[in-house]
Amino acid sequence: MPTMKSSACFLVACALLCSAAAHSQNKDAGIRRDWPVWGGGPENMHYSHLAQINRSNVKKLGVAWVFDTGEPGGLQTSPIIVGNVLYGITPTQKIFALNAATGKLLWKFDSGINGTQPDRGLAYWSSGKAKRILAGVMNFVYALDAATGKSIPTFGQNGRIDLRRDLGRDPEKQSIALTSPGVVYKDLIIVGGRNPETLPAPPGDVRAYDVRSGKLRWSFHTIPYDGEFGHNTWPAGARETSGAANNWAGMAVDEQRGIVFVPTGSAAFDFYGADRVGDDLFANCLIALNAETGERIWHFQGVRHDLWDRDFPSAPVLFTLQRDGKDVDAVAQTTKQGFVYLFERAIGKPLFPIEYHKYPASTIPGEVAASEQPLPTQPAPYARQLLTEEMLSNRTPEVHQWAVEQFRKSRSEGQFVPFSLGKDTVIFPGFDGGAEWGGPAVDPETAMIYVNSNEMAWMAALAENTDSSGPKATYMSQCSVCHGDKMAGAPPAIPSLIGIAGRLTPDQITATIKSGKGRMPGFPNLSGEPLIELVDFLTNGESKELGSVGPEFLGMKYRFLGYRRFLDPEGYPAIAPPWGTLNAINLSTGEYAWRIHLGEYPELAAQGLKNTGTENYGGPVVTAGGLLFIGATSFDKKFRAFEKSTGELLWETTLPFAGNATPATYEVNGRQYVVIAAGGGKDAKSPSGGVYVAFALPKQ
């Protein structure tokens, strides 16, 4: 637990009192000057009414302060700011508070747990004098006193909730991490969680806990129990064996109506679903729930019986637009496939027509792919949908020839084509989008949505499992889905396991398997001799037989051969640019206002290949000052400001590490700041870190 001297406590208390007074005055003024919720507010618009930094002066923006956590590992987090206090998280999931005007540390909380999963933010709750920070640290949710950073012992069990519990399964064998912050509604903290993509995996229940006591108030079962709505879209008893269909991307709250909007991901196993034949509600859904009770109001399923890991990848956005001269309260949801779905918020009525298209049947024995999938007629997709030979890289003649040879060995037929045995299927846009977890921004004055998108092709295939026991079988069922049959991975997000014995000790490998790290979930169900033998297999390549794999491993007849980006031999995308874009779409009309390439590779730019766009992670923020701020680009480490009406670049700077996070903007003592967490971690050629950088105009 952190301790503070009485003088420090007095200073923090004074700061928070001033913060509360300022917050009250701002509320009276009708302008939100802080950033109290991940996404800016409960509606998740990534929007600020602040306009001190604007089109005319943004070129004068400079560094106001820097806070270095001193940790490597990368950051995907957005801080929250209440009054003049900024609350953030380090790469290893220590929680801290800073003076938002100076970056001076006020307190730090260390749970004693070395966080190894992404952690994208915090939640804030207040009632009267009580003010709490709700923080996810791996599988736990902590309640901290906002003034001191001390854990509140009356919350949950000794100050924390264990999310492995209340799932109807042995909690010690469940793998779950709170990677996106929960949302607050009245006296509830509502959470999802990140689950494994292989079996066994816990069900992705959405749960609401009392923010004061930590007691469970309600659960919504995304894999329904027999007799619950949607249970007939699964085989009988699926609740006991299937997993995931989880909310890992965050949520949005309509506080006036009392509705929480929950996007969900695919069910496990992600790529072969013979054990879950049916549409699989409520996987791949946008669900509107009564925030008080957890009861379903309406839902929309974006992918039926998902076989492609097509999760809804970001929290939805709530806003109001004009239709036929009337205000319509809407909810927008972006997708990995490159589409925006738009609904009337209260009843789920689509605001642009949705058409159901027919797709091929699966040729894999036992698999039954859905015959139809829904796609909106408008807006047009913000990512290309079909990779053809004419779209392959022309970076050099040699690269082009290589790409053509690889492409001709694969199957490229667009969206929702079931995987084949022994032949690659092109996934385009790839498994990381299209849109990703950073989420879009919406300008409420214009109903313009701003979406940054990846345009990367990936390749994948299935293979038959022939090993029924032994450490190799364990590897194939649990590890190869990411690292591949040959352990090559897809660096840097999915590291190679080749030569791992030279990089990690057996104890370190064991700890990573148990707890997970980065994109990898933990495997707490793997223990004893099976775990020892798996570690031996990874380090020595031995193939000793296991005494028993154990009943928790549900053997699948077919396995996924691993995530593989379609990259050329030098590591660049094997398709023609753009490799990443930023898009502005008018959601009242469905028409695009502009589209630009986002990011570049510095070494290619030096050779004359500029403005290619790159992979980008982390979303934008839009302001009343006419600006759109975004970092996100993985290789050039840039933080940029664009003119929101035209997409013109007005300002940019280079961060110490790539800003793979969504920025925030706020005002303290009459001065507007823009802050971003810079940690990198997506570029294998660059180091990672954990630095928060705040920018402001020069003081008068």
Side-chain angles (χ1 to χ4, degrees):
M1 300 281 181
T3 60
M4 300 183 70
K5 295 181 179 180
S6 59
S7 58
C9 287
F10 175 77
L11 290 173
V12 174
C14 289
L16 288 173
L17 285 172
C18 293
S19 163
H23 188 52
S24 175
Q25 292 171 3
N26 295 337
K27 186 177 180 181
D28 293 340
I31 295 178
R32 181 184 292 154
R33 300 185 185 277
D34 50 13
W35 196 267
V37 179
W38 181 69
E43 66 287 336
N44 195 47
M45 283 195 292
H46 295 201
Y47 176 80
S48 174
H49 288 92
L50 298 178
Q52 182 183 94
I53 303 170
N54 55 55
R55 300 177 181 93
S56 65
N57 59 24
V58 67
K59 293 186 187 304
K60 300 178 182 178
L61 212 57
V63 174
W65 56 259
V66 175
F67 177 74
D68 190 343
T69 66
E71 298 179 5
L75 287 169
Q76 298 181 6
T77 188
S78 298
I80 57 174
I81 300 95
V82 181
N84 64 352
V85 180
L86 179 147
Y87 303 94
I89 192 162
T90 75
T92 61
Q93 299 182 7
K94 297 175 180 65
I95 317 302
F96 61 83
L98 306 178
N99 181 312
T102 65
K104 181 180 179 181
L105 181 67
L106 301 176
W107 56 254
K108 182 181 284 189
F109 170 77
D110 184 351
S111 67
I113 298 171
N114 182 40
T116 58
Q117 293 288 298
D119 201 328
R120 297 183 178 120
L122 306 165
Y124 174 84
W125 170 87
S126 66
S127 178
K129 295 182 179 180
K131 297 175 175 61
R132 295 186 177 185
I133 300 298
L134 289 308
V137 180
M138 300 296 283
N139 55 284
F140 296 105
V141 179
Y142 287 84
L144 309 179
D145 186 302
T148 65
K150 292 184 177 180
S151 176
I152 298 171
T154 55
F155 179 81
Q157 186 174 8
N158 299 320
R160 68 187 190 184
I161 299 165
D162 187 345
L163 294 178
R164 298 174 300 177
R165 302 186 180 278
D166 307 313
L167 293 171
R169 299 187 186 178
D170 182 353
E172 298 300 322
K173 295 181 179 179
Q174 305 313 308
S175 175
I176 184 170
L178 190 63
T179 54
S180 294
V183 294
V184 171
Y185 175 74
K186 294 184 178 179
D187 60 349
L188 297 177
I189 175 73
I190 306 171
V191 299
R194 181 184 190 181
N195 294 8
E197 298 180 352
T198 57
L199 293 173
D205 292 357
V206 181
R207 291 172 284 176
Y209 293 88
D210 188 296
V211 77
R212 293 182 175 88
S213 68
K215 291 182 178 179
L216 181 67
R217 292 266 289 270
W218 58 255
S219 292
F220 178 81
H221 303 138
T222 61
I223 303 177
Y225 283 101
D226 289 349
E228 293 183 336
F229 184 93
H231 77 97
N232 59 335
T233 67
W234 297 79
R239 171 78 188 186
E240 305 304 317
T241 57
S242 295
N246 52 309
N247 168 261
W248 61 267
M251 312 174 201
V253 180
D254 183 332
E255 293 184 326
Q256 183 177 355
R257 290 182 174 87
I259 302 176
V260 58
F261 293 88
V262 183
T264 60
S266 56
F269 172 56
D270 276 8
F271 305 106
Y272 179 67
D275 66 322
R276 52 178 176 87
V277 170
D279 284 351
D280 302 332
L281 286 178
F282 290 91
N284 305 89
C285 285
L286 177 60
I287 316 167
L289 301 178
N290 182 315
E292 195 79 55
T293 65
E295 295 174 293
R296 183 187 66 90
I297 299 172
W298 62 264
H299 76 275
F300 167 74
Q301 188 171 37
V303 182
R304 297 173 171 180
H305 191 72
D306 186 9
L307 302 174
W308 307 273
D309 193 23
R310 287 314 206 188
D311 303 342
F312 277 138
S314 63
V317 185
L318 312 181
F319 63 103
T320 301
L321 53 73
Q322 282 276 320
R323 275 293 179 89
D324 301 322
K326 297 179 181 179
D327 285 346
V328 178
D329 290 339
V331 53
Q333 177 68 60
T334 56
T335 73
K336 288 182 179 179
Q337 298 95 287
F339 290 89
V340 180
Y341 289 99
L342 193 64
F343 302 96
E344 192 172 333
R345 197 186 310 171
I347 60 175
K349 177 184 176 182
L351 292 176
F352 291 109
I354 293 174
E355 294 179 347
Y356 283 79
H357 298 258
K358 293 188 178 298
Y359 293 95
S362 174
T363 59
I364 306 294
E367 184 60 272
V368 183
S371 61
E372 294 184 333
Q373 300 287 359
L375 292 176
T377 56
Q378 282 185 278
Y382 47 79
R384 292 170 288 180
Q385 296 292 295
L386 175 65
L387 184 64
T388 65
E389 192 169 307
E390 292 70 27
M391 297 162 60
L392 299 179
S393 175
N394 284 299
R395 191 170 61 81
T396 69
E398 294 78 15
V399 162
H400 179 74
Q401 183 60 37
W402 178 92
V404 168
E405 292 172 0
Q406 299 302 311
F407 181 78
R408 289 178 178 174
K409 299 175 185 178
S410 66
R411 181 183 184 190
S412 182
E413 300 172 20
Q415 298 292 332
F416 303 125
V417 176
F419 293 124
S420 304
L421 290 177
K423 187 173 186 178
D424 281 334
T425 296
V426 174
I427 303 297
F428 185 62
F431 292 116
D432 279 1
E436 255 295 331
W437 48 262
V442 168
D443 187 338
E445 300 301 318
T446 61
M448 195 77 71
I449 191 169
Y450 301 90
V451 187
N452 54 306
S453 173
N454 291 321
E455 292 228 11
M456 299 287 292
W458 295 53
M459 290 190 174
L462 296 181
E464 187 172 5
N465 278 321
T466 55
D467 297 287
S468 60
S469 64
K472 184 176 180 181
T474 305
Y475 174 85
M476 290 300 184
S477 69
Q478 302 296 302
C479 312
S480 67
V481 65
C482 289
H483 296 284
D485 280 15
K486 298 180 180 179
M487 302 188 187
I494 304 172
S496 169
L497 299 181
I498 298 169
I500 192 171
R503 304 191 300 272
L504 299 175
T505 67
D507 286 346
Q508 290 172 321
I509 297 171
T510 299
T512 301
I513 292 172
K514 295 291 287 184
S515 300
K517 186 175 182 180
R519 191 168 182 152
M520 173 184 165
F523 293 85
N525 55 296
L526 191 57
S527 60
E529 188 175 348
L531 176 58
I532 294 171
E533 297 290 356
L534 176 60
V535 173
D536 195 33
F537 173 77
L538 293 172
T539 54
N540 300 318
E542 297 182 5
S543 57
K544 298 176 183 177
E545 292 300 308
L546 300 180
S548 172
V549 174
E552 294 87 357
F553 288 99
L554 302 177
M556 302 298 288
K557 191 173 181 181
Y558 298 93
R559 69 181 183 277
F560 184 65
L561 288 177
Y563 295 99
R564 287 172 291 130
R565 288 175 172 85
F566 187 27
L567 302 177
D568 69 29
E570 295 178 52
Y572 299 108
I575 66 171
W579 299 328
T581 63
L582 182 59
N583 307 269
I585 310 169
N586 186 321
L587 288 181
S588 291
T589 65
E591 300 298 324
Y592 279 71
W594 50 263
R595 174 184 291 170
I596 60 173
H597 298 184
L598 180 65
E600 59 187 18
Y601 289 86
E603 65 276 18
L604 294 184
Q607 299 169 22
L609 188 57
K610 301 181 179 181
N611 195 31
T612 57
T614 63
E615 280 184 289
N616 50 88
Y617 299 89
V621 163
V622 64
T623 75
L627 300 172
L628 182 135
F629 289 97
I630 188 167
T633 51
S634 295
F635 303 99
D636 60 21
K637 305 176 186 176
K638 296 290 188 181
F639 186 36
R640 297 174 168 95
F642 296 95
E643 209 288 342
K644 69 180 184 182
S645 300
T646 65
E648 179 189 357
L649 179 64
L650 299 180
W651 171 85
E652 66 177 15
T653 189
T654 302
L655 298 168
F657 306 96
N660 296 135
T662 302
T665 186
Y666 59 94
E667 182 180 299
V668 175
N669 299 327
R671 193 182 190 198
Q672 184 182 355
Y673 299 80
V674 182
V675 62
I676 189 167
K682 295 288 186 180
D683 179 8
K685 299 176 183 177
S686 299
S688 63
V691 179
Y692 289 73
V693 186
F695 300 88
L697 297 173
K699 290 184 178 181
Q700 296 298 320

